[in-house]
Amino acid sequence: MKRRSVVKYAAVAAALSLGLTACGGGSSESKGSDTVRVTLANHVWTEGIKAAIPEFEKSTGLKVELTQLGEDQLSDQYNVKLNAGSDEIDVMMYRPLQEGKAFARNGYLADLTSKVAEDASWNWKDYQDGPVKATTYEDKVTGVPIITEREVLYYRKDLLKAAGIEVPKTMEELEAAAKKLSSADTAGFVARTGKSAAVTQFSSFLYSFGGDFTDENGKSTVGTEEAKKAYAFYGGLIKNYGPKNVSTDMSWPEAMAIFTQGKAAFYTEADSLYKNATDPAKSKVADTVGFAPLPAGPAGSKPYNIPSWGLAVNKASANQDNAWKFIKWATSKERTLEAQKAGVPGPRASVWSDPAGTSTYPKDLAAAIAVSAENGVGHDRPQVLTVGKAREIVGGPIVASITGADASAAADTANTAFQKFLDDEK
Amino acid sequence: MSVLTPARTSGRPASAQENFSAWANRHRKWLFAAPAMIFVGVLIIFPLAWTLYLSLTDSQGSVRAASDFVGLENYFTVLTDTERFWPAVGRTLSFTLVALACEIILGMCIALLLWRPFRGEKWVRVAILLPLVATPVAVGMMWRLIFDPNIGFANQLLGLVGIPPQPWLSGQDSALPTTIFMDVWQWTPMVVLILLAGLTSLSEEPDEAARMDGATAVQRFFYVTLPLMMPTVIVAILLRGIDALKTFDILYATKGKGGGSFHEVETLNVYAYGLSFDYNQYGLSSAVLILFFMIIVGSMWLLTMRKKAVSK
C-alpha cells in the first residue's frame, strides 16, 4: 500500500507541475516568451552588441539567448532550421545580398513593413537607400541592415614612401606601383583568390572597367569586352605581382593575413574589415597602413556600396514582437553610433553626417568611404536566388586568369553557363 | 482473440493489468525489439525513404516549397554529368583506395613492430594513438596551417634543407594527395589497433613450426602470419573503407565548399553537400546521395562476400 501512495503522490506532483508549466506557457503565449533567441555571426558588430546585451535585458526585462556562429555554419544552420519551419530562432543575422532574396521567397522572413514605420523616433527614413533596397523584397521590408561596406584600397605607406610612389588613383597606376614594389619577399598586390570568395571584391573592378554581371534585361554580361578586361586585369595583378605560390582558395582571412604579415604592398578589400589591419594585436603593419578609394578604371572608380549584414525576424517564430524589440534596440541610432565608433560602418545617414560617427576612423579611410559611398554600386554579386551557384560560375574566369589560363575564353564559357543559369532560374 | 484466456481459467474476470501482462507475454519478442525498431525506423529508414522521394522530385530552394514529381530525371542529369559528378566519383574512389592501401600496409608494419613486447612499449602505443583522438575538423585546420604555401611550417622546414616550397593543398594536382596524407596520418592508428588485436590472438604453433622448418622471417610473414590474419585484415578494410568513402570533415575544413576553386578534392560527399547547402538543389543532391549510398552498400557487400570466403 505504501508504495502505491508514493506513486500516487508522484503522479499528482507531476500533473501539478505540468499544469503549472502549461499555465506559465499559456499566459506568456499571448505576449510571447520572455526569452528572445538571437542567432548572430562572428563579426565585430556582434562583439559590440554582445557586450551591450545586459543593458537591453535590464531595460526590457527580457532575456536574450545568444547563439554565435561562423559565416558558413550560420548559413547551414538557417538552411536546416528554416527549411524545417523551426521556431527556435527569433532574431537572425543574415546576408541580404547572399540569402535575402531566397529566404524572402521561401517565406522564412517576417514582414516588417508596418513595424519599421510605426516608430518615428527610431526613424527608418534615416537609412541609406542602397541598404534599404537590399533588405526589401517585393515592396515588403524583410530586414534591417546593420553593416555596410565598400571596397577600398589598403596600402603600405612606408613602402610607397621609400619607393617614392604616389598613392595610385587609376588602375594603370596601381599596376605600375604593384610592379615596382613587388620583390622577393613582398608581393606588390594581394586580394582574394577563391573562385567564389573573390567574386565580391572582383565586382568593383568589373564595374570600374564598365562591366556588370547582368544587363537591365537580366541577360548575362560576363562575356563582354569590359568584363574580359576586368578579369584579365584582376587575375593578372595577382598572377604577376601577387604572393609566390599563391593559392586559389584565399578568402579574406588568408589574404588579410598576408597583408598584415607585411608581405604585400597593396590589398583591395571591404572597408568594414579595416580593424584587422590597424589593430596592433592582429597586424604587424598596423601603424603604416594607408587607405584610399578604389583606383579608377576606364569607367571611373566604381566600388560596390552594400549592406553586408542585416537583422531579420524568423516568420515561424512565436515571439515576433519581442524579436522586433531586440532589433529596434540593436539598430537604434545610439547603438549604430557606438558600433560605428568601434569600427563597424553602419547604414544610418545621420550617423555618417555626425562628426562623432567618423571620429575613430583613420582620416584617409573616412575620406575613402565618403567617396565610395557617393559613386558606389548597390550590389557586389549577381542578384539571383541561388547566389552560391552564380558566384561559382562568374568566379571561374577570375581563377583561370590567376593561374595564367586564357581569361577571355574562360569568360566566354562562364557567359554561356551563366546565361543558362539565369534562364533556368526564371 | 484469446487475450483473456489465462484469467478465465481462474474463473474470475481478468483485471486490466493481467490482460496487459498476458498480451505482453505473448508479444515479448516484438516488445523487447520495439525500441531498437523505432530507432531504426525513425533514424534510418525514414530519412532514406525521404531522400529517395526527394530524389524523384525537382525540389529546390526550400524543402517545404511545392515541388513536382519528375521521375528519374535527376538520376539522368547526374549520371550524364561529366563535369562534376563523374570526376567526384573518381576522386572518391581514388581517395578511398589510396588511403586504404597506405593505411593497411603502414598499419600492418607498425602492428608487426609493436607485436613483440619491448621497452617503452606503452609510450610508443600512446604516441601512435594520439592522432586518433583528435577531431577531424581540428586535424584539417591544423594541417591547413602547416601546409600554408607562404607562412606554413611545412615549406619553412623544406626551406631549411634547401628544397623549394611546394604548393601542397593549393596545387591542383597536389591537393588530393595532401588530403590523403592527412587521412593516413589520422586513421592508420585505428588500423594498427585492429591488426594488433588480430596478431596477439594468433596461436604461436604455426609460426614455430615454420621456424623449425627453416623459413625466413619474410617467408613466415607471407605464408603463415598473413593468411591467418586475412579475416582481421578484411575487417579493418571494411571498417576503414566505409569511413574513407564518406570522408567529409578533412576535405571541407581544408578546401571549403566545392572542394577548392577547381573542385580539386570534391568527392561525392562534398559535392552532395554543396548541392544542398550552397545551391539548395535538394532533388539533385538526393539523387547523388542515393547513388552514393548504392556505391557504399555495393562495395560493402563485395567485401563481406570476400570475408566469408576467407574465413571458410
Side-chain angles (χ1 to χ4, degrees), chain A residues 255-287:
Chain A
M256 182 67 86
I258 291 177
F259 183 74
T260 53
Q261 290 289 312
K263 295 200 182 275
F266 292 104
Y267 173 38
T268 53
E269 187 53 82
D271 53 13
S272 61
L273 297 171
Y274 85 92
K275 279 260 160 167
N276 291 286
T278 57
D279 179 355
K282 293 178 184 167
S283 168
K284 278 189 185 167
V285 295
D287 48 349

Tab-separated table of all heavy atoms in Angstrom, chain A residues 255-287:
chain	number	residue	atom	x	y	z
A	255	ALA	N	43.971	36.329	-47.258
A	255	ALA	CA	44.560	37.482	-47.940
A	255	ALA	C	44.960	38.551	-46.925
A	255	ALA	O	46.047	39.133	-47.002
A	255	ALA	CB	43.566	38.047	-48.948
A	256	MET	N	44.087	38.774	-45.936
A	256	MET	CA	44.371	39.757	-44.892
A	256	MET	C	45.628	39.352	-44.120
A	256	MET	O	46.450	40.201	-43.759
A	256	MET	CB	43.161	39.863	-43.948
A	256	MET	CG	43.286	40.864	-42.843
A	256	MET	SD	43.330	42.578	-43.401
A	256	MET	CE	41.605	43.004	-43.514
A	257	ALA	N	45.781	38.050	-43.875
A	257	ALA	CA	46.950	37.579	-43.123
A	257	ALA	C	48.232	37.922	-43.876
A	257	ALA	O	49.211	38.368	-43.272
A	257	ALA	CB	46.860	36.072	-42.896
A	258	ILE	N	48.221	37.753	-45.190
A	258	ILE	CA	49.421	38.063	-45.977
A	258	ILE	C	49.726	39.560	-45.878
A	258	ILE	O	50.871	39.965	-45.672
A	258	ILE	CB	49.215	37.628	-47.443
A	258	ILE	CG1	49.186	36.099	-47.503
A	258	ILE	CG2	50.320	38.192	-48.335
A	258	ILE	CD1	48.910	35.539	-48.870
A	259	PHE	N	48.681	40.379	-45.969
A	259	PHE	CA	48.896	41.819	-45.898
A	259	PHE	C	49.374	42.241	-44.511
A	259	PHE	O	50.339	42.996	-44.379
A	259	PHE	CB	47.602	42.554	-46.257
A	259	PHE	CG	47.754	44.046	-46.288
A	259	PHE	CD1	48.415	44.663	-47.336
A	259	PHE	CD2	47.258	44.842	-45.263
A	259	PHE	CE1	48.578	46.041	-47.370
A	259	PHE	CE2	47.411	46.219	-45.287
A	259	PHE	CZ	48.079	46.814	-46.340
A	260	THR	N	48.717	41.721	-43.479
A	260	THR	CA	49.079	42.161	-42.127
A	260	THR	C	50.395	41.554	-41.634
A	260	THR	O	50.962	42.011	-40.650
A	260	THR	CB	47.967	41.815	-41.111
A	260	THR	OG1	47.664	40.429	-41.232
A	260	THR	CG2	46.723	42.637	-41.361
A	261	GLN	N	50.863	40.501	-42.326
A	261	GLN	CA	52.193	39.965	-42.008
A	261	GLN	C	53.276	40.800	-42.667
A	261	GLN	O	54.451	40.465	-42.597
A	261	GLN	CB	52.315	38.522	-42.494
A	261	GLN	CG	51.490	37.501	-41.730
A	261	GLN	CD	52.036	37.247	-40.350
A	261	GLN	OE1	53.223	37.025	-40.195
A	261	GLN	NE2	51.194	37.319	-39.342
A	262	GLY	N	52.864	41.848	-43.386
A	262	GLY	CA	53.835	42.710	-44.048
A	262	GLY	C	54.355	42.131	-45.345
A	262	GLY	O	55.435	42.491	-45.810
A	263	LYS	N	53.596	41.227	-45.945
A	263	LYS	CA	54.090	40.561	-47.144
A	263	LYS	C	53.429	41.051	-48.426
A	263	LYS	O	53.502	40.385	-49.460
A	263	LYS	CB	53.913	39.050	-47.010
A	263	LYS	CG	54.761	38.466	-45.893
A	263	LYS	CD	54.961	36.974	-46.060
A	263	LYS	CE	55.770	36.391	-44.928
A	263	LYS	NZ	57.207	36.505	-45.133
A	264	ALA	N	52.737	42.185	-48.359
A	264	ALA	CA	52.149	42.744	-49.581
A	264	ALA	C	52.062	44.261	-49.475
A	264	ALA	O	51.886	44.807	-48.383
A	264	ALA	CB	50.765	42.156	-49.814
A	265	ALA	N	52.190	44.945	-50.628
A	265	ALA	CA	52.157	46.412	-50.632
A	265	ALA	C	50.740	46.947	-50.801
A	265	ALA	O	50.343	47.903	-50.136
A	265	ALA	CB	53.055	46.938	-51.750
A	266	PHE	N	49.963	46.336	-51.699
A	266	PHE	CA	48.582	46.773	-51.933
A	266	PHE	C	47.613	45.624	-51.685
A	266	PHE	O	47.952	44.462	-51.909
A	266	PHE	CB	48.396	47.253	-53.382
A	266	PHE	CG	49.135	48.506	-53.697
A	266	PHE	CD1	50.303	48.474	-54.448
A	266	PHE	CD2	48.650	49.735	-53.267
A	266	PHE	CE1	50.996	49.635	-54.748
A	266	PHE	CE2	49.329	50.901	-53.561
A	266	PHE	CZ	50.506	50.853	-54.302
A	267	TYR	N	46.410	46.008	-51.260
A	267	TYR	CA	45.400	44.991	-50.971
A	267	TYR	C	44.041	45.644	-51.152
A	267	TYR	O	43.803	46.718	-50.589
A	267	TYR	CB	45.605	44.503	-49.536
A	267	TYR	CG	44.555	43.562	-48.962
A	267	TYR	CD1	43.956	42.580	-49.744
A	267	TYR	CD2	44.198	43.644	-47.612
A	267	TYR	CE1	43.019	41.717	-49.188
A	267	TYR	CE2	43.273	42.776	-47.057
A	267	TYR	CZ	42.682	41.810	-47.850
A	267	TYR	OH	41.764	40.963	-47.304
A	268	THR	N	43.167	45.077	-51.962
A	268	THR	CA	41.814	45.651	-52.065
A	268	THR	C	40.855	44.759	-51.294
A	268	THR	O	40.837	43.542	-51.474
A	268	THR	CB	41.341	45.751	-53.528
A	268	THR	OG1	41.470	44.476	-54.137
A	268	THR	CG2	42.136	46.775	-54.297
A	269	GLU	N	40.070	45.386	-50.418
A	269	GLU	CA	39.191	44.609	-49.537
A	269	GLU	C	38.076	45.516	-49.012
A	269	GLU	O	38.123	46.739	-49.193
A	269	GLU	CB	40.037	44.050	-48.376
A	269	GLU	CG	39.365	43.085	-47.433
A	269	GLU	CD	38.703	41.912	-48.132
A	269	GLU	OE1	39.387	40.931	-48.479
A	269	GLU	OE2	37.471	41.984	-48.322
A	270	ALA	N	37.098	44.908	-48.379
A	270	ALA	CA	35.993	45.660	-47.799
A	270	ALA	C	36.507	46.577	-46.686
A	270	ALA	O	37.349	46.167	-45.886
A	270	ALA	CB	34.964	44.702	-47.230
A	271	ASP	N	35.973	47.802	-46.630
A	271	ASP	CA	36.414	48.734	-45.592
A	271	ASP	C	36.021	48.264	-44.195
A	271	ASP	O	36.682	48.574	-43.223
A	271	ASP	CB	35.865	50.140	-45.857
A	271	ASP	CG	34.357	50.143	-46.058
A	271	ASP	OD1	33.722	49.114	-45.756
A	271	ASP	OD2	33.808	51.163	-46.516
A	272	SER	N	34.944	47.475	-44.093
A	272	SER	CA	34.464	47.061	-42.768
A	272	SER	C	35.465	46.145	-42.062
A	272	SER	O	35.310	45.866	-40.882
A	272	SER	CB	33.122	46.346	-42.897
A	272	SER	OG	33.254	45.203	-43.692
A	273	LEU	N	36.482	45.674	-42.770
A	273	LEU	CA	37.458	44.791	-42.145
A	273	LEU	C	38.724	45.538	-41.724
A	273	LEU	O	39.716	44.927	-41.340
A	273	LEU	CB	37.832	43.660	-43.111
A	273	LEU	CG	36.698	42.715	-43.501
A	273	LEU	CD1	37.129	41.780	-44.621
A	273	LEU	CD2	36.258	41.888	-42.298
A	274	TYR	N	38.675	46.889	-41.797
A	274	TYR	CA	39.914	47.660	-41.613
A	274	TYR	C	40.577	47.448	-40.262
A	274	TYR	O	41.792	47.510	-40.137
A	274	TYR	CB	39.662	49.153	-41.846
A	274	TYR	CG	39.139	49.910	-40.649
A	274	TYR	CD1	40.004	50.542	-39.763
A	274	TYR	CD2	37.781	49.989	-40.404
A	274	TYR	CE1	39.533	51.234	-38.662
A	274	TYR	CE2	37.293	50.681	-39.309
A	274	TYR	CZ	38.180	51.299	-38.439
A	274	TYR	OH	37.705	51.971	-37.351
A	275	LYS	N	39.762	47.142	-39.225
A	275	LYS	CA	40.336	46.968	-37.879
A	275	LYS	C	41.374	45.853	-37.834
A	275	LYS	O	42.313	45.892	-37.046
A	275	LYS	CB	39.222	46.663	-36.879
A	275	LYS	CG	38.491	47.891	-36.414
A	275	LYS	CD	39.001	48.306	-35.051
A	275	LYS	CE	38.653	49.745	-34.789
A	275	LYS	NZ	38.829	50.129	-33.409
A	276	ASN	N	41.169	44.850	-38.693
A	276	ASN	CA	42.133	43.753	-38.738
A	276	ASN	C	43.519	44.245	-39.142
A	276	ASN	O	44.523	43.665	-38.761
A	276	ASN	CB	41.690	42.687	-39.742
A	276	ASN	CG	40.463	41.953	-39.273
A	276	ASN	OD1	40.535	41.135	-38.381
A	276	ASN	ND2	39.321	42.288	-39.849
A	277	ALA	N	43.544	45.314	-39.932
A	277	ALA	CA	44.828	45.813	-40.425
A	277	ALA	C	45.425	46.876	-39.519
A	277	ALA	O	46.638	47.070	-39.488
A	277	ALA	CB	44.659	46.373	-41.838
A	278	THR	N	44.578	47.568	-38.757
A	278	THR	CA	45.101	48.668	-37.936
A	278	THR	C	45.259	48.311	-36.466
A	278	THR	O	45.742	49.107	-35.685
A	278	THR	CB	44.183	49.902	-38.027
A	278	THR	OG1	42.868	49.507	-37.614
A	278	THR	CG2	44.115	50.455	-39.442
A	279	ASP	N	44.806	47.119	-36.097
A	279	ASP	CA	44.916	46.696	-34.704
A	279	ASP	C	46.294	46.061	-34.476
A	279	ASP	O	46.600	45.024	-35.055
A	279	ASP	CB	43.794	45.684	-34.422
A	279	ASP	CG	43.845	45.160	-33.005
A	279	ASP	OD1	44.787	45.503	-32.273
A	279	ASP	OD2	42.928	44.395	-32.631
A	280	PRO	N	47.120	46.680	-33.647
A	280	PRO	CA	48.489	46.169	-33.455
A	280	PRO	C	48.517	44.724	-32.980
A	280	PRO	O	49.493	44.000	-33.227
A	280	PRO	CB	49.074	47.087	-32.385
A	280	PRO	CG	48.205	48.289	-32.383
A	280	PRO	CD	46.848	47.866	-32.846
A	281	ALA	N	47.448	44.279	-32.311
A	281	ALA	CA	47.439	42.902	-31.830
A	281	ALA	C	47.310	41.916	-32.983
A	281	ALA	O	47.688	40.755	-32.872
A	281	ALA	CB	46.294	42.700	-30.838
A	282	LYS	N	46.711	42.370	-34.088
A	282	LYS	CA	46.483	41.453	-35.204
A	282	LYS	C	47.406	41.724	-36.382
A	282	LYS	O	47.548	40.894	-37.264
A	282	LYS	CB	45.039	41.599	-35.707
A	282	LYS	CG	43.973	41.150	-34.726
A	282	LYS	CD	42.589	41.383	-35.326
A	282	LYS	CE	41.499	41.025	-34.336
A	282	LYS	NZ	40.198	41.539	-34.780
A	283	SER	N	47.979	42.934	-36.414
A	283	SER	CA	48.687	43.336	-37.615
A	283	SER	C	50.099	43.813	-37.319
A	283	SER	O	50.313	44.635	-36.422
A	283	SER	CB	47.881	44.452	-38.288
A	283	SER	OG	48.624	45.067	-39.288
A	284	LYS	N	51.067	43.316	-38.088
A	284	LYS	CA	52.448	43.742	-37.922
A	284	LYS	C	52.676	45.110	-38.554
A	284	LYS	O	53.705	45.729	-38.349
A	284	LYS	CB	53.376	42.734	-38.616
A	284	LYS	CG	53.679	41.504	-37.801
A	284	LYS	CD	54.774	40.702	-38.498
A	284	LYS	CE	55.007	39.400	-37.776
A	284	LYS	NZ	55.813	38.483	-38.591
A	285	VAL	N	51.708	45.530	-39.395
A	285	VAL	CA	51.919	46.770	-40.135
A	285	VAL	C	50.913	47.836	-39.703
A	285	VAL	O	50.631	48.781	-40.435
A	285	VAL	CB	51.804	46.528	-41.653
A	285	VAL	CG1	52.922	45.624	-42.129
A	285	VAL	CG2	50.467	45.914	-42.029
A	286	ALA	N	50.357	47.649	-38.500
A	286	ALA	CA	49.255	48.498	-38.040
A	286	ALA	C	49.514	49.994	-38.222
A	286	ALA	O	48.617	50.734	-38.630
A	286	ALA	CB	48.957	48.196	-36.578
A	287	ASP	N	50.745	50.430	-37.930
A	287	ASP	CA	50.973	51.876	-37.961
A	287	ASP	C	51.378	52.404	-39.333
A	287	ASP	O	51.581	53.596	-39.504
A	287	ASP	CB	52.020	52.268	-36.907
A	287	ASP	CG	53.236	51.360	-36.979
A	287	ASP	OD1	53.150	50.333	-37.689
A	287	ASP	OD2	54.255	51.681	-36.347
